[in-house]
Amino acid sequence: MSITLKASDYRRIVEHARACLPNESCGLIAGRLEGDARHVEKVYLLDNPDACPEHFSIPPKAQLEAVRDMRALGLTPLGNFHSHPSTPARPSGEDINLAYDASASCCILSLAEEEPVLKCFRIERASRTTVEEPVAIVT
Ligand SMILES: [Zn+2]
C-alpha cells in the first residue's frame, strides 16, 4: 500500500494550502491503481466552504464536477486531501468521524512547522482505525 505524487502536484497542494491560511484547504486526488499502489495523476484544488482553521468539507458541486472530469480522463478517484494549518499531519477525531470511505486515501498536509509535512491514511470509521499509507513524491 503506497501512494505516489508528482512533485509539481505536491507543490500545488502546498501553495493552495498556504493561500487558504489561516483556514484549512481541501481537494481531491485521482489517478491510477496498480495493485495496491496508487499513482496520483491529477489533483483538484477545491474551496473549503467552511472557511475555518479546524474544519473542512468538500463542496458537493465541485466534487461532482471533479468526478465528471476524472471519468472523462479515465482516472480513478483515489481520495482527498486537506490541510492542518497548525496541527500535525494526523487524522483528527473529526477526520475519523467524516471518513465515510475506508478505501479512500485521506491525505493531510500539516503547515505547523516551517517545512510542510504530507501524510496519507486509510481510515476505518467503525473501528476508528487509521493506517498510514507511505507517500513517495516523484519527479
Ligand atoms: Zn483534519
Side-chain angles (χ1 to χ4, degrees), residues 31-55:
R32 288 181 295 115
L33 295 171
E34 213 177 83
D36 205 21
R38 298 176 165 195
H39 302 282
V40 178
E41 308 259 311
K42 189 160 181 183
V43 165
Y44 299 83
L45 307 173
L46 305 180
D47 288 328
N48 174 10
D50 294 351
C52 170
E54 285 152 11
H55 303 276

Side-chain angles (χ1 to χ4, degrees), residues 87-106:
T87 54
R90 265 199 310 269
S92 66
E94 187 177 277
D95 292 338
I96 294 171
N97 291 338
L98 295 175
Y100 52 90
D101 182 356
S103 69
S105 296
C106 170

Side-chain angles (χ1 to χ4, degrees), residues 19-32:
C20 291
L21 285 173
N23 297 324
E24 287 194 4
S25 62
C26 62
L28 296 169
I29 54 175
R32 288 181 295 115

